[in-house]
Amino acid sequence: MNSVWLQENKWKDVENYLQKRKTIIIPVGSVEQHAKHLPLGTDSFVAIKLAEDVAKETGTLVAPPLWLGWAPHHMAFPGTITLRPETLTSLLYDVAKSLIYHGFEKLVIINGHREANLPPLKTAVTKLRNETGAFLTIVDPFYIGSEIGKKIKKSEPGGVGHAAEMETSHMLHIHPDLCDMDQAVKNVAENHRYFSHDPFVSGDTVFSPSDVHEYRSKTNHVGVVGDPTVSNKENGKIYHEALVHNISDLVHHCEENIQVELRNKEIPL
Ligand SMILES: [Zn+2]
């Protein structure tokens, strides 16, 4: 294997890989506004970099990144591209089904776009699990990096949201060239406690979708929810390394301990 990326290898390399290993990583992101200080591709850049570093650490192959996600509310700002949720479900379903057809048994999906992508991705993996017997798991930095996130967080409650503290610190570590911290502003709104969006604040919460027509004003016409002004690259490095460590641990566990019996291997038609 010359590269961890499937698309940079030859078919023979994949055939050889499958004789030894059965796990593959699939990075999934989004292209959506990330305020004035982070690039539109942030969620995809995060998923891609995590996938690449975990792959190098564990010797695992990575499928081509799925760049686009479900982000209707972010259409309030130009440049955002959103798929319909059923398109994202179908996209992951077809990619995964092709990989399962070739004999990949364990698929680790790294989602860079937290909650909005999760319902369509969960639909796809639940269908595939039951139809094919393959083992699929969705990794989201906010949840698999929960312990380290809570430990290093500097902002007040509500400071972690969109284009906010953790995401900005992470980007300052992996893509400083694409960040413009002079443009970073804070937007921590006073919400009813049930409406907290900060994954590092514990408490009782509800889910209420955002509305594209009010999203600009709700995000102070900037597109930020939380506080990126306390972000720094040192915490980004700590956060990234903890995530790579945790996801690598998961990949090792999948490869070594999860038993799979594939059934219904079919080409998506
Ligand atoms: Zn993001």
Side-chain angles (χ1 to χ4, degrees):
M1 209 167 70
N2 297 318
S3 160
V4 294
W5 291 102
L6 178 131
Q7 66 272 25
E8 293 178 7
N9 283 277
K10 319 287 188 292
W11 69 261
K12 194 71 194 163
D13 301 320
V14 178
E15 190 177 70
N16 290 341
Y17 177 88
L18 278 165
Q19 278 164 9
K20 286 174 252 139
R21 295 178 57 99
K22 299 294 179 193
T23 305
I24 189 160
I25 299 167
I26 309 175
V28 185
S30 179
V31 174
E32 63 185 43
Q33 72 82 18
H34 269 79
K36 293 181 178 174
H37 67 288
L38 295 181
L40 288 140
T42 291
D43 295 350
S44 294
F45 289 126
V46 163
I48 289 167
K49 183 67 176 154
L50 285 172
E52 193 172 66
D53 287 355
V54 169
K56 286 178 181 161
E57 181 78 24
T58 58
T60 309
L61 207 52
V62 190
L66 310 187
W67 270 88
L68 303 173
W70 186 32
H73 48 301
H74 293 300
M75 291 297 283
F77 296 88
T80 300
I81 298 172
T82 187
L83 302 177
R84 283 165 291 155
E86 55 271 31
T87 308
L88 180 56
T89 299
S90 299
L91 180 63
L92 178 62
Y93 182 89
D94 289 355
V95 169
K97 203 139 186 198
S98 300
L99 295 168
I100 293 165
Y101 181 81
H102 295 306
F104 288 97
E105 295 179 348
K106 304 153 198 182
L107 291 77
V108 176
I109 294 127
I110 299 182
N111 171 43
H113 175 41
R114 201 158 60 117
E115 55 191 4
N117 268 358
L118 288 175
L121 297 179
K122 284 180 178 175
T123 303
V125 299
T126 304
K127 283 187 182 194
L128 288 156
R129 172 73 178 147
N130 285 278
E131 284 175 15
T132 69
F135 178 82
L136 301 101
T137 187
I138 301 171
V139 177
D140 189 297
F142 274 107
Y143 304 115
I144 202 164
S146 180
E147 296 307 317
I148 187 69
K150 281 182 209 154
K151 208 183 279 178
I152 62 176
K153 175 180 157 140
K154 293 165 73 180
S155 57
E156 65 201 91
V160 177
H162 179 74
E165 182 187 351
M166 298 315 297
E167 205 168 31
T168 302
S169 290
H170 203 176
M171 281 299 281
L172 284 170
H173 172 58
I174 64 174
H175 281 293
D177 50 315
L178 300 177
C179 305
D180 182 0
M181 289 307 284
D182 294 341
Q183 295 292 323
V185 293
K186 171 179 165 178
N187 173 34
V188 180
E190 283 287 318
N191 276 329
H192 186 285
R193 66 188 174 97
Y194 291 165
F195 297 147
S196 172
H197 232 59
D198 186 332
F200 303 143
V201 172
S202 62
D204 303 325
T205 57
V206 293
F207 170 73
S208 318
S210 302
D211 174 18
V212 66
H213 298 290
E214 58 166 35
Y215 199 70
R216 267 186 105 106
S217 53
K218 277 239 161 146
T219 59
N220 280 357
H221 300 272
V222 176
V224 62
V225 180
D227 185 5
T229 63
V230 296
S231 303
N232 62 74
K233 64 177 188 321
E234 291 76 19
N235 271 358
K237 185 170 189 283
I238 294 168
Y239 187 55
H240 183 75
E241 285 172 358
L243 289 170
V244 171
H245 173 83
N246 283 358
I247 305 171
S248 297
D249 180 39
L250 173 75
V251 168
H252 280 309
H253 174 71
C254 288
E255 185 62 34
E256 283 153 29
N257 302 320
I258 305 249
Q259 301 300 325
V260 165
E261 228 171 283
L262 289 184
R263 52 182 183 260
N264 302 327
K265 289 206 294 179
E266 283 167 3
I267 298 168
L269 290 172

